[in-house]
Amino acid sequence: MVDVAKAAGVSLATVSAAVNGSAPVSAALKGRIHKAIRQVGYKTNAIARSLKTGTTSTIGLMVADITNPFFTTTIHAIQELAHRHGYGVMLCCSDEDADKERMHLRLLADRMVDGFIVASAGETPELRALVEGGRTPVVLIDRLVDGLETDAVVIDNVAATRDAVRHLAAAGHRRIGLITGRRTLSTGRERYEGYRQALEEAGIAFEPALVGSARFGADDGYKAAAKLLSLADRPTAIFACNNLSGIGLMRAIHDAGLRCPDDIAVACFDDFDWANVFHPRLTTVAQPTQAIGVQAMLLLLERLKDATARALPPRVVRLKAELRVRDSSVRPAR
Amino acid sequence: MVDVAKAAGVSLATVSAAVNGSAPVSAALKGRIHKAIRQVGYKTNAIARSLKTGTTSTIGLMVADITNPFFTTTIHAIQELAHRHGYGVMLCCSDEDADKERMHLRLLADRMVDGFIVASAGETPELRALVEGGRTPVVLIDRLVDGLETDAVVIDNVAATRDAVRHLAAAGHRRIGLITGRRTLSTGRERYEGYRQALEEAGIAFEPALVGSARFGADDGYKAAAKLLSLADRPTAIFACNNLSGIGLMRAIHDAGLRCPDDIAVACFDDFDWANVFHPRLTTVAQPTQAIGVQAMLLLLERLKDATARALPPRVVRLKAELRVRDSSVRPAR
DNA sequence: TGACGTCGTCGAAACGTTTCGATACGAATT
DNA sequence: AATTCGTATCGAAACGTTTCGACGACGTCA
């Protein structure tokens, strides 16, 4: 920039003003300056600017599993919107590990990101400090964390799960199994609650033996499912609380020599492209993944753009998920 | 840091030396300084450091489709390794659009990332300038770009496709269709070449009508597949050059009232978890996605770590893909 | 005992911006 | 003609580090 100033025969301050439009500059000088910029091949140094302004035009995005299609489309939406507003996205993945998450949050904070969007793997001092510090806006996605008062966008897990299990009950199933996720996560708890509600609604007694627990991951899902399937009086329908355990469930069914939906009905959380093309076509709870990303980024942008919005009380947006009934949950007519 | 210096009663330079170990500091002072750091709650400002040192400890990662499981596991591997070496990852997604890619490359360059890993959607002046500038190391993944002399890690697409098509031919198919990707991409060209080679090897005449073209995307794949299936003398087997067109292909088969593998055999590029659990279980060419990420990051780290490696001639690593034969490509015995 | 390294510490410059207050100048107002 | 005002420009300080050269103290060797 100093070279540009020299080449154009003006002061540093004027060049800065011309580049950023932060102060009036006469047309003549503007012309000279832009010519000089091209001549010198000047590119503004974002680091220096960040140091001075205290903002990096970068947001930190922290997800639990970048390999999961659910997060993937959400990330995509966030990125798209962020870039359109001139923000870069620094991506971190906790692999559902709270310690990794802490490390990455520190990394992001060190890099002075302007804001955070995080799908937390669990409450940590770092996350709490971030939120309570109030210096950097934080938007939670997918998972709420207890006692953390900040913006968030999640779905109505209770209702979504209730709908799905209700659907199974309506099809005549009385022994409905559940493969639940980690109960330390709000999603895990809420989906469990939805299951209980649906059972109660249908007048089915809750039976602890019918709920298997899988931390996230297809292999865990497999084990939990295998256990349910080996029960003497095994369930006639199973709901899996996320897509990975859904995969595990399907594998377990296959390995047990059972057929879906003939021998056992299946539904699971999280829709994906393939669910609709291979067999059995899977009944799923489709989350509005795109909308989650967009909403989260919009909330963040509001806080980022004008200082007054910084002080707004936390807003939590709850979106609705949609039950997509396909073959896996309905026994074929014979 | 100035506060720390004041609190510890030492100079700024000494604090810096103590923090970074860049110069000897007596044990006594070290103690005082660290105590002061805790007292003051000092956190090093990465931006200021970057400005001074000219490095950001951040790499730019540019992929074509973040929604695609292929890229997703590669990204994951890159991230993991990057973080372990203290690098942050700035993720951009071009959506297979060269213009978007240009924009994002500029964004990354402005942010002064220390290195790039890019799956390019096509040659652009920005990418070329980056590579030829030689200031920032670039490693290409998945796709080579013509005339760009830089590190790269790709797979042997010719061999992989040849193997897959050979497998179809060996099963007795003589009319083997191809759904090819964009020929502007090295992957598209190479896979096409593999197809030709396999045909020739099997003594099958090449028939232009049997190759459909799909830019990436499931819908394109669907259209291309539908066209092939509506041929009077339609192919008895089809190979799809990527996972998305594979999905489209399966949908098209279903909509045409055909069954796979009974009526038509299918194989496609890119393996994914689900391929092995739903029916028909898909025959795929499994890329070593994890290894691609690891290799790419290793190449980049070498260039990043020591200055002498900067001058090394470009290295391109070619990994092997693996054909996973499952149900979709073999007609069941009757 | 004097010259000479070595070790530990420090002051100050530098990285490339932004921004504040000062200044210059012509036009508008009295 | 003197005052005021707005506009355009500039000089210089500041952001928070790193790093280079200088410097004093101390031990070692001739």
Side-chain angles (χ1 to χ4, degrees), chain A residues 229-245:
Chain A
L229 294 176
S230 68
L231 251 36
D233 192 8
R234 69 156 187 267
T236 61
I238 298 183
F239 182 75
C241 278
N242 68 65
N243 53 2
L244 294 186
S245 54

PDB file of all heavy atoms in Angstrom, chain A residues 229-245:
ATOM      1  N   LEU A 229     -32.486 -57.603  18.574  1.00  0.00           N
ATOM      2  CA  LEU A 229     -33.000 -58.645  17.684  1.00  0.00           C
ATOM      3  C   LEU A 229     -32.864 -60.032  18.297  1.00  0.00           C
ATOM      4  O   LEU A 229     -33.569 -60.965  17.911  1.00  0.00           O
ATOM      5  CB  LEU A 229     -32.269 -58.591  16.344  1.00  0.00           C
ATOM      6  CG  LEU A 229     -32.518 -57.332  15.518  1.00  0.00           C
ATOM      7  CD1 LEU A 229     -31.676 -57.334  14.253  1.00  0.00           C
ATOM      8  CD2 LEU A 229     -33.993 -57.207  15.166  1.00  0.00           C
ATOM      9  N   SER A 230     -31.944 -60.162  19.228  1.00  0.00           N
ATOM     10  CA  SER A 230     -31.730 -61.485  19.824  1.00  0.00           C
ATOM     11  C   SER A 230     -32.657 -61.733  21.004  1.00  0.00           C
ATOM     12  O   SER A 230     -32.633 -62.795  21.612  1.00  0.00           O
ATOM     13  CB  SER A 230     -30.273 -61.611  20.269  1.00  0.00           C
ATOM     14  OG  SER A 230     -30.050 -60.733  21.346  1.00  0.00           O
ATOM     15  N   LEU A 231     -33.435 -60.725  21.334  1.00  0.00           N
ATOM     16  CA  LEU A 231     -34.398 -60.894  22.424  1.00  0.00           C
ATOM     17  C   LEU A 231     -35.355 -62.044  22.096  1.00  0.00           C
ATOM     18  O   LEU A 231     -35.755 -62.223  20.951  1.00  0.00           O
ATOM     19  CB  LEU A 231     -35.211 -59.606  22.587  1.00  0.00           C
ATOM     20  CG  LEU A 231     -34.956 -58.731  23.817  1.00  0.00           C
ATOM     21  CD1 LEU A 231     -33.485 -58.724  24.204  1.00  0.00           C
ATOM     22  CD2 LEU A 231     -35.446 -57.326  23.541  1.00  0.00           C
ATOM     23  N   ALA A 232     -35.724 -62.792  23.138  1.00  0.00           N
ATOM     24  CA  ALA A 232     -36.674 -63.895  22.930  1.00  0.00           C
ATOM     25  C   ALA A 232     -37.938 -63.342  22.269  1.00  0.00           C
ATOM     26  O   ALA A 232     -38.394 -63.837  21.248  1.00  0.00           O
ATOM     27  CB  ALA A 232     -37.014 -64.534  24.271  1.00  0.00           C
ATOM     28  N   ASP A 233     -38.440 -62.295  22.881  1.00  0.00           N
ATOM     29  CA  ASP A 233     -39.649 -61.672  22.338  1.00  0.00           C
ATOM     30  C   ASP A 233     -39.231 -60.379  21.666  1.00  0.00           C
ATOM     31  O   ASP A 233     -39.401 -59.293  22.207  1.00  0.00           O
ATOM     32  CB  ASP A 233     -40.614 -61.406  23.491  1.00  0.00           C
ATOM     33  CG  ASP A 233     -41.990 -61.030  22.966  1.00  0.00           C
ATOM     34  OD1 ASP A 233     -42.180 -61.139  21.731  1.00  0.00           O
ATOM     35  OD2 ASP A 233     -42.819 -60.629  23.787  1.00  0.00           O
ATOM     36  N   ARG A 234     -38.689 -60.500  20.502  1.00  0.00           N
ATOM     37  CA  ARG A 234     -38.039 -59.334  19.906  1.00  0.00           C
ATOM     38  C   ARG A 234     -39.056 -58.341  19.356  1.00  0.00           C
ATOM     39  O   ARG A 234     -40.192 -58.693  19.041  1.00  0.00           O
ATOM     40  CB  ARG A 234     -37.083 -59.788  18.801  1.00  0.00           C
ATOM     41  CG  ARG A 234     -37.758 -60.357  17.587  1.00  0.00           C
ATOM     42  CD  ARG A 234     -36.868 -60.241  16.341  1.00  0.00           C
ATOM     43  NE  ARG A 234     -37.653 -60.642  15.204  1.00  0.00           N
ATOM     44  CZ  ARG A 234     -37.675 -61.880  14.723  1.00  0.00           C
ATOM     45  NH1 ARG A 234     -36.927 -62.823  15.275  1.00  0.00           N
ATOM     46  NH2 ARG A 234     -38.454 -62.174  13.705  1.00  0.00           N
ATOM     47  N   PRO A 235     -38.630 -57.088  19.240  1.00  0.00           N
ATOM     48  CA  PRO A 235     -39.540 -56.054  18.733  1.00  0.00           C
ATOM     49  C   PRO A 235     -39.934 -56.348  17.290  1.00  0.00           C
ATOM     50  O   PRO A 235     -39.194 -56.991  16.562  1.00  0.00           O
ATOM     51  CB  PRO A 235     -38.705 -54.775  18.820  1.00  0.00           C
ATOM     52  CG  PRO A 235     -37.290 -55.230  18.926  1.00  0.00           C
ATOM     53  CD  PRO A 235     -37.315 -56.550  19.599  1.00  0.00           C
ATOM     54  N   THR A 236     -41.099 -55.841  16.908  1.00  0.00           N
ATOM     55  CA  THR A 236     -41.524 -56.014  15.513  1.00  0.00           C
ATOM     56  C   THR A 236     -41.237 -54.757  14.712  1.00  0.00           C
ATOM     57  O   THR A 236     -41.422 -54.723  13.509  1.00  0.00           O
ATOM     58  CB  THR A 236     -43.028 -56.307  15.442  1.00  0.00           C
ATOM     59  OG1 THR A 236     -43.736 -55.184  16.001  1.00  0.00           O
ATOM     60  CG2 THR A 236     -43.363 -57.552  16.244  1.00  0.00           C
ATOM     61  N   ALA A 237     -40.812 -53.727  15.427  1.00  0.00           N
ATOM     62  CA  ALA A 237     -40.439 -52.479  14.753  1.00  0.00           C
ATOM     63  C   ALA A 237     -39.338 -51.809  15.570  1.00  0.00           C
ATOM     64  O   ALA A 237     -39.301 -51.962  16.796  1.00  0.00           O
ATOM     65  CB  ALA A 237     -41.638 -51.558  14.636  1.00  0.00           C
ATOM     66  N   ILE A 238     -38.442 -51.117  14.875  1.00  0.00           N
ATOM     67  CA  ILE A 238     -37.381 -50.412  15.594  1.00  0.00           C
ATOM     68  C   ILE A 238     -37.194 -49.024  14.996  1.00  0.00           C
ATOM     69  O   ILE A 238     -37.213 -48.857  13.777  1.00  0.00           O
ATOM     70  CB  ILE A 238     -36.040 -51.179  15.517  1.00  0.00           C
ATOM     71  CG1 ILE A 238     -36.169 -52.562  16.171  1.00  0.00           C
ATOM     72  CG2 ILE A 238     -34.926 -50.389  16.202  1.00  0.00           C
ATOM     73  CD1 ILE A 238     -34.885 -53.362  16.212  1.00  0.00           C
ATOM     74  N   PHE A 239     -37.035 -48.055  15.883  1.00  0.00           N
ATOM     75  CA  PHE A 239     -36.707 -46.707  15.431  1.00  0.00           C
ATOM     76  C   PHE A 239     -35.282 -46.384  15.853  1.00  0.00           C
ATOM     77  O   PHE A 239     -34.914 -46.558  17.014  1.00  0.00           O
ATOM     78  CB  PHE A 239     -37.670 -45.680  16.041  1.00  0.00           C
ATOM     79  CG  PHE A 239     -37.409 -44.277  15.583  1.00  0.00           C
ATOM     80  CD1 PHE A 239     -37.785 -43.871  14.306  1.00  0.00           C
ATOM     81  CD2 PHE A 239     -36.767 -43.369  16.406  1.00  0.00           C
ATOM     82  CE1 PHE A 239     -37.534 -42.579  13.863  1.00  0.00           C
ATOM     83  CE2 PHE A 239     -36.506 -42.073  15.975  1.00  0.00           C
ATOM     84  CZ  PHE A 239     -36.887 -41.682  14.699  1.00  0.00           C
ATOM     85  N   ALA A 240     -34.499 -45.923  14.890  1.00  0.00           N
ATOM     86  CA  ALA A 240     -33.102 -45.585  15.191  1.00  0.00           C
ATOM     87  C   ALA A 240     -32.958 -44.072  15.248  1.00  0.00           C
ATOM     88  O   ALA A 240     -33.445 -43.364  14.369  1.00  0.00           O
ATOM     89  CB  ALA A 240     -32.177 -46.159  14.129  1.00  0.00           C
ATOM     90  N   CYS A 241     -32.278 -43.595  16.269  1.00  0.00           N
ATOM     91  CA  CYS A 241     -32.261 -42.159  16.535  1.00  0.00           C
ATOM     92  C   CYS A 241     -31.305 -41.339  15.683  1.00  0.00           C
ATOM     93  O   CYS A 241     -31.203 -40.122  15.853  1.00  0.00           O
ATOM     94  CB  CYS A 241     -31.998 -41.896  18.006  1.00  0.00           C
ATOM     95  SG  CYS A 241     -33.493 -42.048  18.983  1.00  0.00           S
ATOM     96  N   ASN A 242     -30.536 -41.984  14.842  1.00  0.00           N
ATOM     97  CA  ASN A 242     -29.796 -41.204  13.839  1.00  0.00           C
ATOM     98  C   ASN A 242     -29.412 -42.076  12.674  1.00  0.00           C
ATOM     99  O   ASN A 242     -29.560 -43.299  12.707  1.00  0.00           O
ATOM    100  CB  ASN A 242     -28.583 -40.501  14.453  1.00  0.00           C
ATOM    101  CG  ASN A 242     -27.529 -41.479  14.880  1.00  0.00           C
ATOM    102  OD1 ASN A 242     -26.947 -42.166  14.047  1.00  0.00           O
ATOM    103  ND2 ASN A 242     -27.306 -41.558  16.174  1.00  0.00           N
ATOM    104  N   ASN A 243     -28.908 -41.461  11.636  1.00  0.00           N
ATOM    105  CA  ASN A 243     -28.684 -42.206  10.400  1.00  0.00           C
ATOM    106  C   ASN A 243     -27.630 -43.296  10.538  1.00  0.00           C
ATOM    107  O   ASN A 243     -27.760 -44.379  10.000  1.00  0.00           O
ATOM    108  CB  ASN A 243     -28.382 -41.271   9.237  1.00  0.00           C
ATOM    109  CG  ASN A 243     -27.247 -40.319   9.554  1.00  0.00           C
ATOM    110  OD1 ASN A 243     -26.650 -40.389  10.639  1.00  0.00           O
ATOM    111  ND2 ASN A 243     -26.948 -39.436   8.623  1.00  0.00           N
ATOM    112  N   LEU A 244     -26.600 -43.009  11.317  1.00  0.00           N
ATOM    113  CA  LEU A 244     -25.554 -44.017  11.435  1.00  0.00           C
ATOM    114  C   LEU A 244     -26.047 -45.265  12.146  1.00  0.00           C
ATOM    115  O   LEU A 244     -25.801 -46.385  11.695  1.00  0.00           O
ATOM    116  CB  LEU A 244     -24.337 -43.438  12.161  1.00  0.00           C
ATOM    117  CG  LEU A 244     -23.640 -42.324  11.375  1.00  0.00           C
ATOM    118  CD1 LEU A 244     -22.365 -41.896  12.070  1.00  0.00           C
ATOM    119  CD2 LEU A 244     -23.342 -42.774   9.957  1.00  0.00           C
ATOM    120  N   SER A 245     -26.762 -45.061  13.245  1.00  0.00           N
ATOM    121  CA  SER A 245     -27.259 -46.255  13.912  1.00  0.00           C
ATOM    122  C   SER A 245     -28.317 -46.925  13.046  1.00  0.00           C
ATOM    123  O   SER A 245     -28.532 -48.130  13.146  1.00  0.00           O
ATOM    124  CB  SER A 245     -27.768 -45.933  15.315  1.00  0.00           C
ATOM    125  OG  SER A 245     -28.725 -44.913  15.273  1.00  0.00           O
TER     126      SER A 245
END
